[in-house]
Amino acid sequence: MLRSALISVFSKDGLEPIIQRLHQLGVQLYSTGGTQSYIEKLGIPVTSVESLTGYPSILDGRVKTLHPAVFGGLLARREEGHLAQLEQFNIPQIDCVIVDLYPFEDTVASTHVENDIIEKIDIGGVSLIRAAAKNFKDVSVVASKDEYKLFLDMLDAHGTELTEEDRRELARRAFKVTSNYDIAIFNWFNEGTTDISFKYSIHRSDILRYGENPHQSGVFFGDFDQIFDKLNGKAISYNNLVDIDAAVQLMREFQVGKPCFAILKHTNACGVARRHTLLEAWQAALACDATSAFGGIFVCNSTVDLATAQEINKLFYEVLIAPDFAPDALELLQKKEQRILLKIKTFEIKKRNFRSLLNGVVEQDADLKTETEADLRTVTTRQPTPKEVGELIFAVKCVKHLKSNGIALVKERQLIGMGCGQPSRVDALRQAIAKAKAFGFDLNGAVMASDAFFPFPDCVEIAHEAGITAVIQPGGSVKDQDSVDACNKFDMAMVMTGFRHFRH
């Protein structure tokens, strides 16, 4: 039975209804510091923790509740032996703890001042939560403001007679809170050390319709709303999420500058173009591969206007991502209720990524390298022209986002041919050339980008035959010179970057 409750919270939002309800139920309230003052201002009787412990809050508030008079009342089993000890030492039973911890993660995100961060490491609050949760058979615990409403619903349903099932659920949530809190603190202390540990904790989760295929279940762990405002459409699926991630990574390369549009299918860019207007960029991106665009993911770096929306609306697509939508464009696009419309808030992505493999996890730095003109090292007799340099940089941004082996062919800031996911680089190039020709592109004067080095000169020879005049690649093969010699033979320009972009 719930006869007493200790309340010590950081966030008071949503707390008042709980306090009022506990008072109505005749529950004795204990508190300290700012929470005690808050309860007193509500006109609700409250007993200070100091009156239990016989000690004031000390050390600038670092020690308030850490005392046997508090933890004895929390941890005592409601059985004869433990209750006799409580009576012996005049310790009251505490049947409920309501805590909201210092916002450690928010503090880390907002400041680099070490003392400010350290002072937001909650000690007493975590201890209260763990003690109450351990003794869930007799004690209820509310471990964060996110549980305020749930607890109030329990009080409304059961009064002071919460069920053991309710208390166990509150305890489960409590350990979820404390485990996340500890991991956040560890990761802050561990940053920059040589200790290699894989510790992540993500509170928010969304159950997906299914996984990659209908017979697989799927869950997304993360805060989707931190990156996007979802303006329209059906529930986002596992495959949508994978493609959306790929689209954001690609457009991150083109987010600054003239309007750019990209079309992706199964994470691969099948259309990318930059033009003076967004409508022109859309039309050029679609022309790259109008067949693959059906059912694709569309992403751009500019506000979608009505003229562009009218053209996009002629084609079936899964997701459209943009920094914003003009009101008349949004009104038009929302008429197709199943189409997912996402307003992106940021193109920034995590600096580390990981995936499950075998019986473990691999983690690595994200590939955040975006080549600039300063990264290009000309290795051929002929220097690339200024126009070719711009095209080569555009091309290497595109090829970075194709599955390996990947080849991108670019002309006039447009991806006119792409080959990806091939076991041979020669196959990837032939695929790219075939796609370019299938959609009526003239390859004469185009440039080629490769995600990795050329082990043999065959790709240069094939590219020359197709009309390609300049090549960008990372280099690194023991036979680099063979490809350089082939370029010199055909008066082609080749630049090396020193950065490989495998994508598996």
Side-chain angles (χ1 to χ4, degrees), residues 14 83 92 102 177 221 225 266 290 304 311 329 387 398 425 481:
L83 293 177
Y102 294 156
V177 169
F221 295 97
D225 296 337
H266 298 297
V304 175
E311 291 302 310
K387 180 180 179 181
C398 292
R425 198 157 301 281
Q481 192 58 45

Side-chain angles (χ1 to χ4, degrees), residues 333-401:
L333 294 169
Q334 286 179 326
K335 290 179 180 179
K336 296 189 175 180
E337 297 180 356
Q338 294 298 302
R339 304 290 186 269
I340 298 170
L341 303 178
L342 300 177
K343 179 179 176 180
I344 188 166
K345 302 173 185 178
T346 176
F347 283 101
E348 293 306 307
I349 60 176
K350 292 285 188 181
K351 295 181 180 179
R352 301 280 292 175
N353 52 43
F354 57 87
R355 66 195 295 183
S356 58
L357 289 179
L358 301 174
N359 61 347
V361 173
V362 291
E363 184 181 22
Q364 65 172 354
D365 294 331
D367 185 359
L368 301 178
K369 175 62 183 177
T370 298
E371 281 81 355
T372 66
E373 189 171 342
D375 295 309
L376 310 188
R377 179 172 62 91
T378 303
V379 293
T380 49
T381 303
R382 184 171 81 77
Q383 295 279 334
T385 66
K387 180 180 179 181
E388 285 175 332
V389 168
E391 301 279 57
L392 290 168
I393 291 173
F394 188 98
V396 77
K397 290 178 180 180
C398 292
V399 80
K400 175 182 173 182
H401 298 278

Side-chain angles (χ1 to χ4, degrees), residues 32-105:
T32 186
T35 307
Q36 180 183 342
S37 298
Y38 176 82
I39 296 172
E40 289 171 344
K41 288 179 181 178
L42 294 175
I44 304 295
V46 58
T47 301
S48 69
V49 169
E50 286 87 342
S51 68
L52 291 182
T53 65
Y55 284 89
S57 172
I58 62 173
L59 305 179
D60 299 321
R62 285 189 168 196
V63 180
K64 294 190 285 282
T65 59
L66 296 169
H67 193 280
V70 173
F71 283 85
L74 284 175
L75 286 166
R77 293 190 292 270
R78 276 39 173 180
E79 58 186 38
E80 185 176 348
H82 279 196
L83 293 177
Q85 288 184 56
L86 292 185
E87 186 174 354
Q88 177 185 353
F89 295 106
N90 195 29
I91 298 173
Q93 298 177 40
I94 300 177
D95 304 315
C96 175
V97 163
I98 302 174
V99 174
D100 184 63
L101 299 174
Y102 294 156
F104 178 81
E105 290 177 278

